[in-house]
Amino acid sequence: MFKWLKSGAPWVWLTAGAVSISVLSVLGLLLLIGWNGLAYFWPAPLYQWETEQGEKLIGQVYSQEYVPISHFKEEVSRIPKKSIDSGLIKRISIKSANRDLYGSDFISLLDVELNEPTTPSDLLVIERTSDGDFYGRPVGYYSSVGSIDKNTQKALAVGLVKAKMLREDIDYLIKRDVQGLNSQLEKLRLEKRKHQFDKSLDADLMASYYAKSQTLREKLMQVEKVLDGLQRQLASQGVIVEEMKGQQVKIPLSQILDAWYPNQMNLPEKLLHWVKQVWKFLSDDPRESNSEGGVFPAMFGTVLLVLIMSVIVMPLGVIAAIYLHEYAKNNLVTRLIRVAVINLAGVPSIVYGVFGLGFFVYMVGGSIDTLFYPERLPAPTFGTPGLLWSALTLAILTLPVVIVATEEGLTRIPVSVRQGSLALGATQFETLWRIVLPMASPAILTGLILAVARAAGEVAPLMLVGAVKLASSLPVDDQFPFVHLERKFMHLGFHIYDVGFQTTNIESARPLVYATSFLLVTVIVGLNLTAISIRNNLREKYRTLGQD
C-alpha cells in the first residue's frame, strides 16, 4: 500500500477524477440551462379543466410540486385517502395567460380541486405584441367591412400573411423615410447651430434653413399619413375569441404576431414551430420590457463589443509584452511593472467600470465634445456612455491576461532561434517580426481566448459605461459613418440581469433567462472555438523544438 502511494498513482486517479467531475458538472449545467431555455419554445398542449364549482379553466401546465398536507389542515376533509397516507398533495401551477383580463399569467390550484383535464382541438394560442399570449376558443374572424367569417382557422391564416406584409411595409417606411428624414432635419439643426457659434448666420442662411426644414417636414407628414393608413388596415380586422369564462374578446391583427392550435399539431409540425420560434427569438427585437420577444440587439451588441475590444487589446497587450520581455532590462522598474500587471488581473471589474466612466466618458469624451461637437452641446455625443468606451474599459480589464499569455509564449521560444536570426544579419526588429512573433502567435491567441471568455460575460462595468436596457437603434446602420461607436448598446449579460431581476413579470420571463443564458454561453463558445481553430493551425505551422 505504501509503495502504491509512493508511486504517485493515487494522485493520478484523483486528478483524473476531479477533471471528470468538473467536466460532467459543466455539461450538466449547460444541459440544465439549455433544456429549460429551449423547451420554452415548444408548443405545449392546452388543457381544459373544470373546478368543483363548475368553472372552466384553460391553460398550460407550467409546473407541478408536492406539498405537505400539514399546510392544508382546514381542507383535510377534501383530500383523498391516498394523499393522506403519503402525506403529500399535488399542487399545479397553470399558465392561463390573458394577462389583460385576469391580471396575472398564472393560477395555482390543488390537484383535488380539478377534474381530469381534456385537450380540445379547437383551443387557440395567440402571440400578441403586448400583454403576453391569449388562450381561448375562436368564434369568428371579422373583416374591415364588418362581416364575420366562421371559418376562423383559414381566415386567420390569410390575415396573418397580410399582416406580415403590412408590417414589412411599415418597417421599410420607418427605416427608409422616417429615420432618414429625421436624420436630415437633425443635420440641418446642427448646421444652423454651428453657424450661430461661428456668428456667420445671416438672413439668407436662415431662409434656406426654413425652406429646407419645411420641405422635409412636409415629406415627413406625407409618410406619416401613409403609415397611419397601413396601421388602420391592420386594426380594421381581427379574430373574435371566447376566453375560459365565456367572455368574447376582439383581438385586431395589429396585436397578433402569430397564432396556432397546439392540440392539432403532430410531431413534425411541432418541430417546425419550435424552429420558427427559436429563429424569432434570435432575430426579433425585445418587447414588453424585455420579458418577451427576441434578443437580436443584445446578441449583436455583445459580438460587436467583443470584436472591438479584441482589436484594441491585442496590439496593446502584445506590444507591452514584447517590450517587457525583449527590450526592458531586469531592474526594479520592470519588476514593479510586472507586479502591477499581475495585481491588475485581480481588481474587481466594477472598479474598471468606475475608471472608464470617470476617465473615458467624462474626461476624454467630454473633451471630444467640446473640441469637435460644440453645436450639439449640452446634449453629449461622446461625453456619455457608449460602445467605444465600453470596449476600451474591457480592453483595460483584459490587458493583463494578454500580456501574461504573450510573455509566456515569448519565453518558450528557444534563444538559439533568435541567435541564429541575428547571426544571419537580421536586426532585432526583423527577428521579432519575422521569427519570434509568428512562433509566439499560438500563445498570443491563447491570451485572446482568455480575454474574450472574461470580457463577454462581464456586466458590472458595462452598466456604467454603455450597456442599456433598451437601445433605440443598433450601433451599425446604413447612415454615415455606418459604425456609430458613440451609441449605447444592448448586451446579453445585462439582458439576463434585467429580465431575471428587474422585469415586473419575473415568473413569466424566467424561461427567457435560461434561453438568453444558453445563448450567451453559445456565443462565447463560438468565439473561442474560432480563435482555438486559428491557434491550432498556427501551432502546427510554427511547431519547433521546445513548443507543444
Side-chain angles (χ1 to χ4, degrees), residues 229-246:
L230 295 175
Q231 293 286 2
R232 283 194 295 269
Q233 290 185 46
L234 275 175
S236 63
Q237 50 186 307
V239 63
I240 304 173
V241 187
E242 181 183 306
E243 51 89 40
M244 64 184 184
K245 296 182 179 179

Side-chain angles (χ1 to χ4, degrees), residues 419-441:
Q419 293 174 345
S421 175
L422 295 173
L424 291 173
T427 64
Q428 186 175 9
F429 176 78
E430 290 174 337
T431 300
L432 282 172
W433 184 256
R434 296 181 179 275
I435 305 297
V436 176
L437 282 182
M439 294 175 65
S441 55

Side-chain angles (χ1 to χ4, degrees), residues 8 66 69 72 102 125 228 264 410 422 464 472 481 493 548:
Y66 285 90
I69 294 180
F72 306 96
Y102 311 142
V125 176
D228 290 340
Q264 297 181 12
L410 294 173
L422 295 173
L464 299 176
S472 58
D548 291 338

Side-chain angles (χ1 to χ4, degrees), residues 67-77 79 89 91 110:
V67 183
I69 294 180
S70 57
H71 293 180
F72 306 96
K73 292 181 179 179
E74 297 82 0
E75 305 173 4
V76 69
S77 60
I79 299 176
I89 187 170
R91 182 164 61 192
L110 298 178

Side-chain angles (χ1 to χ4, degrees), residues 227-271:
L227 288 174
D228 290 340
L230 295 175
Q231 293 286 2
R232 283 194 295 269
Q233 290 185 46
L234 275 175
S236 63
Q237 50 186 307
V239 63
I240 304 173
V241 187
E242 181 183 306
E243 51 89 40
M244 64 184 184
K245 296 182 179 179
Q247 178 183 354
Q248 292 189 0
V249 180
K250 285 187 175 182
I251 305 178
L253 277 181
S254 57
Q255 297 181 14
I256 302 176
L257 294 174
D258 200 0
W260 61 92
Y261 295 84
N263 298 339
Q264 297 181 12
M265 290 182 172
N266 52 33
L267 183 59
E269 291 174 341
K270 289 185 176 181
L271 184 60

Side-chain angles (χ1 to χ4, degrees), residues 49-343:
W49 292 269
E50 188 171 336
T51 65
E52 296 177 344
Q53 293 77 23
E55 297 179 354
K56 291 183 179 180
L57 179 64
I58 295 175
Q60 297 173 346
V61 177
Y62 182 75
S63 65
Q64 301 182 54
E65 61 177 348
Y66 285 90
V67 183
I69 294 180
S70 57
H71 293 180
F72 306 96
K73 292 181 179 179
E74 297 82 0
E75 305 173 4
V76 69
S77 60
R78 299 166 45 207
I79 299 176
K81 186 177 183 302
K82 181 179 179 180
S83 298
I84 295 177
D85 295 338
S86 64
L88 299 172
I89 187 170
K90 184 190 292 187
R91 182 164 61 192
I92 304 174
S93 179
I94 300 171
K95 183 180 179 181
S96 58
N98 304 12
R99 188 188 311 156
D100 51 334
L101 299 180
Y102 311 142
S104 174
D105 286 89
F106 298 93
I107 298 175
S108 184
L109 294 171
L110 298 178
D111 184 37
V112 296
E113 297 177 335
L114 302 171
N115 296 332
E116 283 296 320
T118 59
T119 55
S121 60
D122 60 342
L123 293 181
L124 178 67
V125 176
I126 298 177
E127 182 183 1
R128 298 185 291 178
T129 57
S130 60
D131 294 323
D133 294 340
F134 194 95
Y135 299 161
R137 186 173 279 104
V139 176
Y141 186 89
Y142 66 91
S143 63
S144 57
V145 296
S147 61
I148 296 179
D149 190 346
K150 294 298 183 180
N151 190 356
T152 310
Q153 188 167 356
K154 182 179 179 180
L156 182 57
V158 175
L160 288 175
V161 174
K162 182 179 179 181
K164 182 180 179 182
M165 296 173 61
L166 289 173
R167 285 195 179 93
E168 290 176 352
D169 292 340
I170 291 171
D171 292 339
Y172 179 74
L173 285 174
I174 291 175
K175 292 179 180 178
R176 187 196 66 177
D177 295 334
V178 175
Q179 293 181 355
L181 291 171
N182 284 329
S183 177
Q184 293 179 45
L185 284 170
E186 180 65 12
K187 287 180 180 179
L188 278 176
R189 186 186 70 84
L190 293 176
E191 287 178 6
K192 176 188 173 184
R193 282 179 59 86
K194 192 171 184 180
H195 286 298
Q196 287 176 338
F197 279 110
D198 297 341
K199 297 182 179 180
S200 59
L201 185 63
D202 53 19
D204 293 337
L205 287 175
M206 283 294 296
S208 175
Y209 165 75
Y210 283 119
K212 290 180 180 179
S213 61
Q214 184 64 26
T215 302
L216 291 174
R217 287 192 176 93
E218 289 176 357
K219 291 181 179 179
L220 187 60
M221 290 178 62
Q222 293 175 0
V223 175
E224 289 176 349
K225 288 181 180 179
V226 176
L227 288 174
D228 290 340
L230 295 175
Q231 293 286 2
R232 283 194 295 269
Q233 290 185 46
L234 275 175
S236 63
Q237 50 186 307
V239 63
I240 304 173
V241 187
E242 181 183 306
E243 51 89 40
M244 64 184 184
K245 296 182 179 179
Q247 178 183 354
Q248 292 189 0
V249 180
K250 285 187 175 182
I251 305 178
L253 277 181
S254 57
Q255 297 181 14
I256 302 176
L257 294 174
D258 200 0
W260 61 92
Y261 295 84
N263 298 339
Q264 297 181 12
M265 290 182 172
N266 52 33
L267 183 59
E269 291 174 341
K270 289 185 176 181
L271 184 60
L272 181 62
H273 178 85
W274 179 82
V275 172
K276 179 182 175 183
Q277 291 296 108
V278 171
W279 172 249
K280 287 168 63 177
F281 174 71
L282 297 176
S283 59
D284 286 358
D285 293 339
R287 307 188 311 271
E288 289 288 283
S289 188
N290 287 341
S291 62
E292 295 177 11
V295 293
F296 176 75
M299 182 174 62
F300 185 88
T302 302
V303 175
L304 184 61
L305 172 69
V306 171
L307 292 178
I308 296 175
M309 180 274 301
S310 302
V311 172
I312 296 172
V313 74
M314 285 305 294
L316 293 176
V318 172
I319 291 172
I322 290 173
Y323 172 76
L324 290 173
H325 191 271
E326 301 292 333
Y327 291 96
K329 296 180 180 179
N330 188 17
N331 51 29
L332 179 61
V333 176
T334 305
R335 289 194 292 271
L336 288 176
I337 292 174
R338 285 198 170 93
V339 171
V341 168
I342 295 173
N343 288 335

